Amino acid sequence: MKKVLSIVAVCLLLISTVHGAKADDNSKDGIQFTHASWQEIIAKAKSENKIIFADCYTTWCGPCKMLAKQVFPQKEVGDYFNANFINVKIDCEKGEGIDLKNKFGVSAFPTMLFIDPSNEKVLHRVVGFRPAEELIKEAKGAPAEAKRAEALAAAFKKNKKDIKTTEDYLSYLVKVSDPKAETVALHYLSMVPKSDWHKKDYFWLMSRYVKDPFSKEADYFYKNKDKFIEANGFKGEYFESGMYYSYAGDLADVKSKEEFNQKKFDKLVKLMEKNSFDGIENIKDYTNRALLIHVKDYSTYMDVVEEKFAKGLESNSKFYSQSGFNLLNRLKDCQDKACFERAAKLMDDVIATQMATEELDMFGLSIAYRDSYEFIKKAGITGERLAVAKAMSDLFDNIVPKHRALLDKTYKDAQKAKEEGKTGGRAIPAMKMGGY
């Protein structure tokens, strides 16, 4: 209890300073984002003869928040983007953003798109966090990247049987997380001897783009599983489970329980049994939770979550920061205040459990306080509890920007290491991208 009071006291003393330092992606110096419908954005871009810059994000994406707080508000970024683009933010899990995410093939966050308003063609895409100077460099290179992509696509279309041409095109698609990479990757694998598929570079492509557990690629893996696991260790096992989870997740993506294809799921279970997969019960549990979320049965979903939290926190004080947060993040579309009251109670348990440990886990606490505030707010809880939760959330939420220089240096060091990487033999797409 003393720990709680001490942190709250520090929070109340510092909150005004922290609040004043909080960055805002709508700052006067930074990128000015236009808030309008997509059609209005297109019309505005056409009238001003500018390319559209779209920041595709989700509310739970950490790197997305880092961009919004650390990069977009900077004057040098704002000066360039405001002069050259019509800027828009797209929440890919709400309203029109869901359709735009699918339309532009966004599968990772953050993804930043440079779009030609005349035909809505993606000229260039940037995936992941970028420091200011890197983001400006990407923006300036967008037109050249668009021409390069067109040239690579044309060469591939003309000569799909040439392995070097295929490699070059696939390498580019992988780099920018273009959805066309899946089709080209499977084509590329068909050009490579199956006996080489277990090798690290080729297996990287399999693990990323082979998603159908009933495919010929998956069947070859099952028959040669020992070879794949020996060459790739844990990644070999993860590839198999990844296919099962992806397939089950697609089956659970329905609007009513009656639409769920039980026969296909039973067929999946039989395949897992045939392959001696030891995570079948976990797949069943995941599928049940995914189904409850998709059909919006949030009350039953919370029954499942509360049971998992009780078991998880009992054995691991870091349960929430390590895995539990994923369970409650699925409530993003829920409108039931009662469910958020239950979520807020779970966060009380999380914080109490962490406070009872000998050493405070500040990273875990930052996540817990941040999410606790969101749940309390959505539950409609007001007064002192809401005020304290917000104060704690603001305090921890603004610690990260203090380390901008360190984060930028870490990113630059990683990029330098990737560029200096050396491999033996022919460089295939996975190695060009530093797949491992």
Side-chain angles (χ1 to χ4, degrees):
M1 185 62 183
K2 290 183 179 179
K3 293 179 181 178
V4 179
L5 293 176
S6 297
I7 291 179
V8 171
V10 172
C11 173
L12 295 177
L13 286 171
L14 297 180
I15 191 59
S16 59
T17 303
V18 171
H19 182 73
K22 190 173 183 179
D24 185 352
D25 64 8
N26 289 320
S27 66
K28 294 180 180 180
D29 290 335
I31 296 179
Q32 299 301 306
F33 288 96
T34 300
H35 302 282
S37 70
W38 182 245
Q39 289 306 314
E40 290 171 330
I41 293 294
I42 292 176
K44 183 176 176 63
K46 287 181 178 178
S47 67
E48 297 185 22
N49 194 29
K50 290 182 177 180
I51 292 173
I52 297 171
F53 169 70
D55 170 36
C56 302
Y57 73 99
T58 65
T59 56
W60 48 261
C61 166
C64 299
K65 295 179 180 179
M66 289 168 61
L67 280 169
K69 294 181 179 181
Q70 301 178 29
V71 178
F72 295 159
Q74 293 188 42
K75 186 178 186 304
E76 60 191 310
V77 178
D79 287 346
Y80 187 79
F81 277 75
N82 295 334
N84 292 279
F85 307 108
I86 297 300
N87 307 297
V88 59
K89 295 178 74 68
I90 299 175
D91 185 338
C92 290
E93 295 183 328
K94 288 185 179 179
E96 197 176 26
I98 298 174
D99 292 333
L100 292 174
K101 174 181 76 73
N102 297 329
K103 179 176 183 176
F104 295 121
V106 175
S107 59
F109 303 100
T111 290
M112 289 163 279
L113 306 175
F114 296 86
I115 302 169
D116 183 343
S118 66
N119 54 17
E120 297 187 61
K121 180 179 179 180
V122 176
L123 301 174
H124 183 44
R125 60 179 73 214
V126 179
V127 180
F129 177 83
R130 294 289 190 279
E133 61 185 65
E134 291 287 341
L135 183 58
I136 294 174
K137 181 179 179 181
E138 293 279 5
K140 289 181 177 179
E145 284 294 298
K147 291 181 180 179
R148 177 173 173 243
E150 289 180 359
L152 290 170
F156 173 70
K157 184 177 180 180
K158 183 178 181 180
N159 193 4
K160 292 185 178 181
K161 293 184 179 180
D162 181 67
I163 195 165
K164 178 63 168 57
T165 300
T166 304
E167 285 179 355
D168 290 343
Y169 186 42
L170 178 56
S171 179
Y172 172 79
L173 296 176
V174 170
K175 177 183 177 181
V176 299
S177 292
D178 192 301
K180 292 190 289 292
E182 181 175 342
T183 299
V184 179
L186 294 179
H187 171 75
Y188 178 75
L189 286 172
S190 71
M191 303 171 72
V192 177
K194 288 184 178 180
S195 57
D196 286 341
W197 283 2
H198 69 284
K199 294 180 179 179
K200 184 174 69 172
D201 301 324
Y202 303 110
F203 179 69
W204 183 85
L205 291 174
M206 285 190 68
S207 62
R208 184 163 184 172
Y209 296 112
V210 176
K211 302 175 182 178
D212 183 358
F214 296 99
S215 66
K216 60 183 180 181
E217 293 86 3
D219 184 63
Y220 181 81
F221 167 83
Y222 303 141
K223 294 175 180 177
N224 300 273
K225 189 185 300 187
D226 290 343
K227 182 189 294 186
F228 277 86
I229 294 176
E230 180 180 357
N232 299 279
F234 170 75
K235 294 183 179 69
E237 299 176 5
Y238 184 77
F239 166 63
E240 181 177 11
S241 64
M243 285 191 297
Y244 297 148
Y245 274 104
S246 178
Y247 188 81
D250 288 341
L251 290 178
D253 189 3
V254 293
K255 294 183 179 179
S256 68
K257 292 182 180 180
E258 290 71 27
E259 292 181 34
F260 180 72
N261 195 322
Q262 187 64 48
K263 289 184 178 180
K264 284 190 175 181
F265 186 72
D266 292 341
K267 183 180 179 182
L268 176 66
V269 172
K270 288 182 179 179
L271 177 66
M272 293 188 290
E273 291 173 343
K274 177 183 177 181
N275 293 324
S276 302
F277 180 64
D278 61 4
I280 296 178
E281 291 307 312
N282 291 334
I283 297 289
K284 290 181 178 179
D285 174 59
Y286 163 78
T287 307
N288 177 55
R289 286 185 283 110
L291 181 60
L292 291 173
I293 288 296
H294 285 301
V295 302
K296 302 186 185 305
D297 185 356
Y298 296 112
S299 180
T300 304
Y301 178 77
M302 285 304 299
D303 292 341
V304 176
V305 171
E306 286 170 345
E307 182 178 350
K308 289 186 173 296
F309 266 63
K311 294 179 180 178
L313 292 176
E314 183 178 354
S315 58
N316 180 14
S317 63
K318 297 182 180 180
F319 167 77
Y320 185 72
S321 61
Q322 292 179 350
S323 62
F325 69 95
N326 284 318
L327 296 171
L328 291 180
N329 275 343
R330 301 301 299 275
L331 293 174
K332 58 182 179 295
D333 294 326
C334 177
Q335 301 297 322
D336 186 353
K337 289 185 177 181
C339 288
F340 287 114
E341 288 179 0
R342 295 168 71 177
K345 171 60 172 65
L346 288 177
M347 298 312 302
D348 290 343
D349 296 341
V350 168
I351 293 171
T353 300
Q354 292 192 2
M355 288 297 184
T357 60
E358 292 185 2
E359 295 185 6
L360 291 180
D361 173 19
M362 299 305 290
F363 173 72
L365 277 175
S366 69
I367 295 176
Y369 278 119
R370 178 199 67 196
D371 293 350
S372 179
Y373 169 59
E374 290 299 319
F375 296 135
I376 289 172
K377 184 169 59 174
K378 290 179 179 179
I381 299 172
T382 60
E384 183 178 354
R385 188 179 184 195
L386 178 65
V388 171
K390 184 180 188 308
M392 296 303 291
S393 175
D394 285 347
L395 174 63
F396 286 102
D397 197 36
N398 283 276
I399 288 176
V400 174
K402 300 293 184 182
H403 303 282
R404 177 188 297 171
L406 175 61
L407 292 170
D408 285 357
K409 182 178 184 301
T410 300
Y411 171 81
K412 290 176 182 177
D413 288 347
Q415 289 296 101
K416 183 179 179 181
K418 181 184 291 187
E419 292 171 359
E420 294 178 351
K422 296 180 180 180
T423 62
R426 175 174 44 202
I428 72 158
M431 297 310 295
K432 290 179 183 178
M433 282 302 299
Y436 272 95

